[in-house]
Amino acid sequence: MGAQQSFDVAVVGAGPGGYVAAIRAAQLGLRVAVVEADRPGGVCLNWGCIPTKALLSGAELVDSLRAHGKAFGIDADAVTLDYGRAVEHSRQVADRLGQGVSSLLRKNRIRLVRGRARLAGANTLDVSGPDEQTVEADHVVLATGSSEWVPPGVAVDGERVVTSREALALSSVPGRLLVVGAGAVGVEFAYLYAMYGARVTVLEMADQMLPGMDVEVARTLESEFRRKGIDVVLGARFEELESSGGQVRVGYIRHGRREEISIDRVLVAMGRRPLTEGLGLEAAGVRLDDSGFAVVDAAHRTSLPSVLAIGDLAGGPLLAHKASEEGIAAVELLAGVERPPFDAARVPACIYAQPQVAAIGLTETQARERRGDGVRIGRFPFSASGKAVAADHPAGFVKLVVDAEFGEILGAHVVGAGATELIAELALGMQLEATTAELARTVHAHPTLSEAIWEAALAAEGRSLNS
């Protein structure tokens, strides 16, 4: 090992959890190092959130021209698509933002150590790679994230059988695509490829798309996907996959019977697993749960008190903004900053297909299981929204799940155009413990999509105006 260096905090991983934690620690006057084996920005910036949103922006543009152009006198029949160019753009965006993260680390005087870290003790990291050395720190923050989970026996070849990671590097659109899994990743890639011309089938084991999310939201998304020509097969348990002769054969069980489909490319989107390989966690005394996630307390400390874990490594929800907020919370608590504990129940989830989906808090089902009849629902359809109808985006709704006695917002669910932006108002409302009465008294500009939130609050109060 190279020369030993000492810091107040050493962060392992420069993704949205790690680099944000490092910057906040530096702002608080701590001496900080970040160990990163790949490019700053992590999976999210380089091979996840950012490049997929760049591609999805193009897909949305194609969708808008085809589905809504004629309503505005725009003939999109002659539009040509170059998916390879869209991929180039997505890589340029990721590169630019990655350079921005590197610049932020330098600006905040954070030492970037390039290499793979292994926890060699409560306060020691052994780093192998370009910057081989030993890093000593009073506290270690583990922010290594997660990677795609692939079922045993499935060989990812990067061309016919891919995960989201490989898909982001491919510049071709298959004639026929099977997406295994209708969670956020599967839904987004199904929409993306369908808009760029692939015939897409989505295979999902659960009886709804977006398992765990509001049932009404999932049904609306399923209906819109079918309307766009995307085939959705629910209640289908993946069994096996075989690639030969330029085709991929996938077997699955549905309604107790075995069925098969032959396809040009398969995208496996069946979940993610924490990245712990080579970290030496268990040998150092860091306890993991049965799924391999680090077990942490309310202060984000692991079973080894000097070692903290944040983001995907510490369990769900596996979201970049959750990782960032946990990183901030973790180092602020280390530095003695008084703050309320991090509440994962108030983390919004967003899906960027069209219609978009966004949710925070409890679903109606969850709320009724916990509170029985003490729940009210406020719902407003975009088909009654002046702005949504004018923009030719009438699909979807805003749904508020509300405590019947006090009007507290227990959960909020939006499906439709602009959902991923609208959810911020509802997240703020829940953070401030706003009631539907207070939302209903908040003047919303007309005509805007945000009026649907106001109308849903009015509906929860029993005084809907426009539906």
Side-chain angles (χ1 to χ4, degrees):
M1 285 290 160
Q4 181 172 305
Q5 296 193 58
S6 298
F7 300 88
D8 297 317
V9 176
V11 180
V12 182
Y19 88 77
V20 169
I23 290 173
R24 183 63 184 127
Q27 290 173 343
L28 292 168
L30 302 177
R31 292 172 299 126
V32 186
V34 172
V35 183
E36 173 56 57
D38 199 351
R39 307 197 307 177
V43 170
C44 173
L45 191 154
N46 293 294
W47 299 106
C49 320
I50 297 303
T52 57
K53 301 316 166 281
L55 291 169
L56 285 162
S57 294
E60 183 179 344
L61 182 58
V62 173
D63 192 8
S64 293
L65 286 172
R66 286 177 173 165
H68 312 290
K70 286 185 172 57
F72 301 99
I74 301 170
D75 185 354
D77 291 341
V79 170
T80 59
L81 303 179
D82 184 348
Y83 183 71
R85 179 66 193 96
V87 171
E88 287 179 19
H89 170 68
S90 74
R91 300 315 315 155
Q92 291 167 359
V93 169
D95 289 345
R96 176 180 175 181
L97 293 176
Q99 291 168 9
V101 172
S102 296
S103 176
L104 287 170
L105 295 178
R106 290 193 298 270
K107 175 184 174 182
N108 286 277
R109 301 181 185 278
I110 295 166
R111 167 82 165 124
L112 177 60
V113 181
R114 298 187 178 276
R116 293 193 174 277
R118 183 180 180 280
L119 193 61
N123 306 96
T124 305
L125 293 170
D126 286 340
V127 181
S128 60
D131 295 338
E132 183 172 314
Q133 61 189 271
T134 297
V135 174
E136 295 282 346
D138 294 338
H139 292 91
V140 174
V141 178
L142 302 173
T144 52
S146 64
S147 64
E148 301 79 6
W149 180 81
V150 178
V154 173
V156 174
D157 62 18
E159 179 58 40
R160 295 294 179 188
V161 182
V162 300
T163 68
S164 58
R165 170 64 177 80
E166 293 80 28
L168 286 169
L170 293 173
S171 59
S172 64
V173 175
R176 295 173 301 164
L177 173 73
L178 177 68
V179 177
V180 183
V185 173
V187 163
E188 290 184 351
F189 273 94
Y191 173 76
L192 167 64
Y193 277 112
M195 293 306 100
Y196 274 96
R199 286 182 290 158
V200 178
T201 299
V202 178
L203 203 67
E204 170 55 50
M205 183 171 64
D207 59 3
Q208 69 170 67
M209 300 181 73
L210 302 177
M213 297 195 79
D214 185 85
V215 174
E216 285 186 285
V217 167
R219 288 174 180 165
T220 298
L221 180 67
E222 179 188 347
S223 175
E224 288 299 300
F225 263 39
R226 293 187 188 280
R227 192 176 64 80
K228 295 176 189 296
I230 301 171
D231 189 21
V232 179
V233 182
L234 301 175
R237 188 179 78 247
F238 171 83
E239 285 285 296
E240 61 181 354
L241 178 154
E242 181 181 330
S243 182
S244 64
Q247 292 284 294
V248 185
R249 181 183 57 79
V250 175
Y252 58 94
I253 304 296
R254 188 171 185 236
H255 303 316
R257 291 175 18 187
R258 190 180 188 283
E259 300 181 27
E260 285 188 1
I261 184 172
S262 291
I263 214 82
D264 298 320
R265 183 181 296 164
V266 174
L267 192 152
V268 180
M270 300 173 69
R272 301 185 66 81
R273 60 181 181 86
L275 280 171
T276 58
E277 186 176 353
L279 283 175
L281 300 188
E282 291 180 293
V286 175
R287 189 161 67 90
L288 306 178
D289 67 17
D290 292 341
S291 298
F293 294 98
V295 177
V296 297
D297 63 15
H300 312 281
R301 294 182 187 273
T302 69
S303 51
L304 198 60
S306 61
V307 178
L308 293 79
I310 63 170
D312 289 5
L313 182 63
L318 309 186
L319 300 168
H321 44 285
K322 177 257 194 184
S324 295
E325 186 57 31
E326 278 189 333
I328 293 169
V331 297
E332 286 186 346
L333 290 168
L334 277 182
V337 176
E338 290 190 14
R339 55 164 293 147
F342 172 75
D343 185 359
R346 291 180 176 173
V347 175
C350 297
I351 294 93
Y352 296 81
Q354 285 294 340
Q356 291 183 351
V357 173
I360 186 171
L362 301 179
T363 65
E364 180 179 355
T365 300
Q366 291 168 336
R368 294 199 185 282
E369 287 173 350
R370 300 181 190 187
R371 304 200 178 200
D373 294 332
V375 174
R376 292 200 311 263
I377 301 298
R379 187 188 291 100
F380 185 78
F382 283 117
S383 59
S385 160
K387 178 61 182 296
V389 173
D392 200 31
H393 285 290
F397 54 85
V398 174
K399 178 178 180 179
L400 302 182
V401 181
V402 182
D403 174 77
E405 183 177 3
F406 299 108
E408 176 192 1
I409 302 167
L410 305 175
H413 310 273
V414 187
V415 55
T420 59
E421 302 294 337
L422 293 175
I423 200 66
E425 178 183 346
L426 294 162
L428 177 62
M430 290 182 67
Q431 181 67 26
L432 298 177
E433 299 182 348
T435 65
T436 49
E438 290 167 327
L439 271 183
R441 286 196 297 269
T442 301
V443 179
H444 289 69
H446 175 77
T448 61
L449 294 175
S450 67
E451 284 179 291
I453 295 174
W454 172 65
E455 291 276 9
L458 287 171
E461 291 289 306
R463 49 194 179 97
S464 179
L465 294 174
N466 286 293
S467 67

